[in-house]
Amino acid sequence: MTPTGAKTNHHRELEDALTYLPRKHVLQYRRGEVIYDQEKPSTGISLVIRGRVKVCTNLENGSQVVIGIYGNDQFFGESGLTGASAHAEKATTLEPTTLMSWSTAEIEEHIEHQPKLGLALIQMVVNRCLDFEDRLQSLALDKTPGRIALSLVRFSEKMGAHGEDGAVKIPPLTHQLISDYVGTSREIVTFQMNQLRQQGYIRYSRKSIEVYADALRERLRQNAMNGGQ
Amino acid sequence: MTPTGAKTNHHRELEDALTYLPRKHVLQYRRGEVIYDQEKPSTGISLVIRGRVKVCTNLENGSQVVIGIYGNDQFFGESGLTGASAHAEKATTLEPTTLMSWSTAEIEEHIEHQPKLGLALIQMVVNRCLDFEDRLQSLALDKTPGRIALSLVRFSEKMGAHGEDGAVKIPPLTHQLISDYVGTSREIVTFQMNQLRQQGYIRYSRKSIEVYADALRERLRQNAMNGGQ
């Protein structure tokens, strides 16, 4: 899958940061395997070579919020770079996944030899902050339909492959996963996804969701002008 | 004001990043001045020497979400380090404020000479991401009273000064600002702040809000165990 979304930041992340990061041996994970969690937290930063990883926070009462879904050529686990272990993050593979990981000490050493890696990683993490700001804003101001539509637009930008008729193909995402991402119930996601399908904004195929991202983006823009949806 | 919250990350931010950042001449701003906005975006990173800065996103329809409030010894404006100008962030002073600012090119040059600055800034931005994750989780799962209580706990950790009877003093925050921070209406914030005051969790004085942060944290923990409030 080639990421080709109009606003993909991770393409630049890859070019900038990976230019200066030495290759490492790859780690293989089966589908559904835990990469790190609160008991065994991340101790550095990882890169998805192939596959998909879900990072979420887990609460004592069992509910979870999906922090991010990271695909080919995307970094995750950067919480490990702070050395703070109190953070309740959990990373699990959504499919068979191959990773490279660097410890905080390795990153520190590589920055000594390749100072440009420092700024490249700062920029990568700042871009992640900007994504979180977008999501904060959407959670604070948008009603659920708008949040679901925006999440589909974002997924298409980050993990989409452009199809022939303007649709962007993204890997299948369960309604439960989307609901844990936008902070609503699975039932509401199912209802809204059906609405979006009937209105022609998305199409399901056997192996992917096709998102008419430009049309959906225009709809979100219209709704924002009219006071939010 | 000395920041002494139990979980303050910015104390470490300061020690780590400022050790390696050369002092610069300071910039003075009056209360309510715009430091940067979408028309004239941040071009690097800034440090609050004295004062308080509000960073928010502005929507076309006039609504806003407060991304953060940054006080003495805290960094902000790091969105400028990516060089992306499309981001609709706006920073305004909440009181007369003194800053130091470094451009992206300066940061890059300093990392060349002081590679440890690279990791220090990465850690600072990652800590900011972890704050955003906390807020995302709270917005997705908590009802408004819980979100307001959590925001007071976080403010007390980040900009609080410990008083004599266990209360943490934070600078005054308007109810409008708190409502733009937690994503609700000013009226609801006013109602909830009155509730918290009657229940003894907060106290208003002329120049500050006193937050009984430990008691409020314990209440949030209890609510989380019982399925979220």
Side-chain angles (χ1 to χ4, degrees), chain A residues 12 57-61 63-67 78-84 87 89 104 107-108 111-112 115-119 121-123 125-130 132-137 139-142 147 182-184 221 223-228, chain B residues 12 57-61 63-67 78-84 87 89 104 107-108 111-112 115-119 121-123 125-130 132-137 139-142 147 182-184 221 223-228:
Chain A
R12 240 194 40 205
T57 64
N58 275 314
L59 293 192
E60 294 174 35
N61 66 8
S63 41
Q64 59 171 235
V65 173
V66 174
I67 292 301
E78 66 276 5
S79 59
L81 294 175
T82 64
H87 196 67
E89 237 184 42
T104 306
I107 292 292
E108 192 166 11
I111 294 175
E112 296 247 354
K116 283 191 188 303
L117 173 64
L119 188 65
L121 285 175
I122 291 168
Q123 289 173 329
V125 185
V126 169
N127 276 325
R128 194 129 308 166
C129 279
L130 298 180
F132 285 137
E133 290 181 16
D134 261 10
R135 281 177 71 189
L136 270 183
Q137 177 170 290
L139 270 165
L141 299 178
D142 299 342
R147 274 144 59 182
V182 301
T184 187
R221 209 183 61 79
N223 285 336
M225 301 273 281
N226 298 329
Chain B
R12 245 198 34 211
T57 64
N58 274 315
L59 294 191
E60 292 173 36
N61 67 7
S63 42
Q64 58 171 235
V65 174
V66 174
I67 292 303
E78 67 276 5
S79 60
L81 294 174
T82 64
H87 196 67
E89 238 183 39
T104 306
I107 292 291
E108 191 166 10
I111 294 174
E112 296 247 355
K116 283 191 190 301
L117 174 65
L119 188 63
L121 285 175
I122 291 167
Q123 289 173 329
V125 185
V126 169
N127 277 326
R128 194 126 307 167
C129 279
L130 297 181
F132 285 137
E133 290 182 16
D134 262 11
R135 282 177 70 190
L136 270 184
Q137 177 171 291
L139 270 166
L141 299 178
D142 298 343
R147 275 147 55 185
V182 301
T184 187
R221 210 183 60 80
N223 284 336
M225 301 272 281
N226 299 329

Side-chain angles (χ1 to χ4, degrees), chain B residues 95-163:
Chain B
E95 54 190 67
T97 296
T98 311
L99 304 177
M100 278 187 200
S101 291
W102 296 267
S103 72
T104 306
E106 286 172 324
I107 292 291
E108 191 166 10
E109 195 194 318
H110 295 317
I111 294 174
E112 296 247 355
H113 295 117
Q114 288 281 10
K116 283 191 190 301
L117 174 65
L119 188 63
L121 285 175
I122 291 167
Q123 289 173 329
M124 188 276 288
V125 185
V126 169
N127 277 326
R128 194 126 307 167
C129 279
L130 297 181
D131 286 346
F132 285 137
E133 290 182 16
D134 262 11
R135 282 177 70 190
L136 270 184
Q137 177 171 291
S138 183
L139 270 166
L141 299 178
D142 298 343
K143 297 201 178 65
T144 317
R147 275 147 55 185
I148 293 170
L150 182 66
S151 73
L152 291 171
V153 168
R154 292 289 178 261
F155 290 143
S156 75
E157 288 166 1
K158 281 181 199 306
M159 54 178 95
H162 277 280

